Amino acid sequence: MKLVIGVVRESALGESRVAIAPDVVQKLNKLGVQVVMQQGAGASAFLPDEKYKQDNVTLVENAADVYAKANLFIRVQTPSLEEIAQMPEGSYLLGALTPHKHLAEIKALADKKITCWATEYIPRISRAQSMDTLSSQAAVAGYVGVVKAAGLSAKFFPMLTTAAGTVRPAKVLVLGAGVAGLQAIATAKRLGAVVEAYDIRPETKEQCESLGAKFIDTGVNAAGEGGYARELTAEEVAKQTEIVDQHIAKADAVITTAAIPGRPSPKLISASAVANMQPGAVIIDLASEGGGNCELTKPGEIYQHEGVVICGELNVPAQLAVHASEMFSKNLFNFISPWLKDAELVVDWEDEIISQSCLVKEGEIVNSRIQTLLGGGA
């Protein structure tokens, strides 16, 4: 069966990204793949229908028409139960499905024998870097987080020499040196701030310093599996907290980025640490989707607590919809394209990228993490 890719307007509240960008449509055109899109699917990402008018694209009025004509659906976020009900049995789905938050939807996909892959579960190996939506969207979040901090701060970020005197640069502390943290360091440095960084994985020190940050050494080594940190002991937490809190107190802006997919975000900033911060200081909590790295974060809100601005906005990458969509779309194309043979999808189930990111295969929930969350059964 020839592959027909379907794209509908994202239904999640506040989602402005689109799963396919015009340049990716061109690439699919060269491979002979047809695309069916709902009109206005890219409008919220400032990508009007006119940009998608190509030989291989059919624009239809509503989502139902997309579901009726396509057999592989690509999404930024998980489709709702109502949308899944419209998808044809035996079709395919690819996107950032956040399965730990959408178990009912995963079960519904299994009931309809819809084979689906979650990009969050793509193994973090060198061969899959170009497919990694977690990394691409984290880079967007790291950039947006610093720009947001600069906008909320009561101070200039760079040093300025003016007729009224010299203004000293702001001090920015980045907690967590994954993709988002490293992007935040680079962006804050470009804005002229004095940047410090901390991560409990000691191997990140060189990366932070290469981007111009001073690395805070607490003596705690918490390197874990899969590029994530392991859980710390009580003694390690106390030692880390004592040292890091001293730097938090002196910072004009703190950007926190420590998030682990499928698990609550670790608490890095306590209420007492916030109490010791300077009036006018800003906390940008980029881990708010998992509850936040700060004890006082209110996910989805920006508010002031005793003179400290705490920003816990959700779905931060959607604030940079154009480039976030382009990057996300390229990730999906890089996942699909190796398996296209004469415009048909022919996947190798022995390939670890395919097998590890698959949630449902022909009606069976095959991912062990989802099986565990469901109590061991599909």
Side-chain angles (χ1 to χ4, degrees), residues 247-314:
H247 293 265
I248 292 173
K250 298 176 183 177
D252 297 303
V254 182
I255 318 290
T256 70
T257 69
I260 304 173
R263 294 175 57 185
S265 302
K267 300 303 179 189
L268 306 181
I269 304 177
S270 65
S272 60
V274 176
N276 290 328
M277 294 179 73
Q278 307 170 69
V282 176
I283 296 172
I284 306 294
D285 196 334
L286 295 179
S288 295
E289 300 282 353
N293 293 143
C294 176
E295 283 186 349
L296 299 179
T297 293
K298 298 178 181 179
E301 296 186 29
I302 302 175
Y303 77 106
Q304 190 176 125
H305 176 80
E306 297 180 0
V308 177
V309 178
I310 302 175
C311 175
E313 290 183 313
L314 302 173

Side-chain angles (χ1 to χ4, degrees), residues 16-136:
S16 60
R17 294 169 291 175
V18 63
I20 196 166
D23 60 339
V24 168
V25 170
Q26 292 179 1
K27 293 179 180 180
L28 290 168
N29 193 357
K30 293 177 181 178
L31 295 174
V33 176
Q34 296 295 308
V35 177
V36 179
M37 287 190 67
Q38 182 181 3
Q39 293 174 5
S44 58
F46 304 100
L47 295 169
D49 290 343
E50 287 72 21
K51 289 186 176 292
Y52 291 98
K53 289 183 177 178
Q54 299 178 41
D55 291 341
N56 65 324
V57 177
T58 301
L59 291 167
V60 296
E61 185 174 351
N62 53 56
D65 291 334
V66 175
Y67 295 126
K69 296 177 182 293
N71 49 32
L72 168 63
F73 304 96
I74 59 175
R75 298 289 299 249
V76 175
Q77 294 207 37
T78 315
S80 67
L81 290 171
E82 292 74 18
E83 290 174 307
I84 293 170
Q86 298 180 67
M87 295 168 66
E89 186 171 308
S91 56
Y92 300 92
L93 172 67
L94 170 65
L97 304 180
T98 51
H100 57 283
K101 293 183 178 180
H102 296 98
L103 294 178
E105 287 79 2
I106 302 306
K107 291 174 71 175
L109 289 165
D111 290 342
K112 294 205 70 173
K113 295 181 173 57
I114 296 171
T115 296
C116 61
W117 294 273
T119 57
E120 301 97 319
Y121 286 179
I122 292 173
R124 308 197 93 174
I125 57 177
S126 58
R127 186 164 57 91
Q129 286 180 351
S130 66
M131 313 171 190
D132 189 353
T133 61
L134 282 177
S135 292
S136 73

Side-chain angles (χ1 to χ4, degrees), residues 164-189:
T166 299
V167 178
R168 299 179 66 181
K171 295 180 180 178
V172 175
L173 171 59
V174 178
L175 299 179
V179 174
L182 294 174
Q183 183 62 251
I185 291 168
T187 304
K189 193 67 179 176

Side-chain angles (χ1 to χ4, degrees), residues 1-5 31-34 67-73 88-92 339-347:
M1 181 187 299
K2 295 293 184 181
L3 186 66
V4 180
I5 292 178
L31 295 174
V33 176
Q34 296 295 308
Y67 295 126
K69 296 177 182 293
N71 49 32
L72 168 63
F73 304 96
E89 186 171 308
S91 56
Y92 300 92
W339 317 113
L340 290 176
K341 310 295 181 184
D342 298 324
E344 294 187 7
L345 191 66
V346 183
V347 299

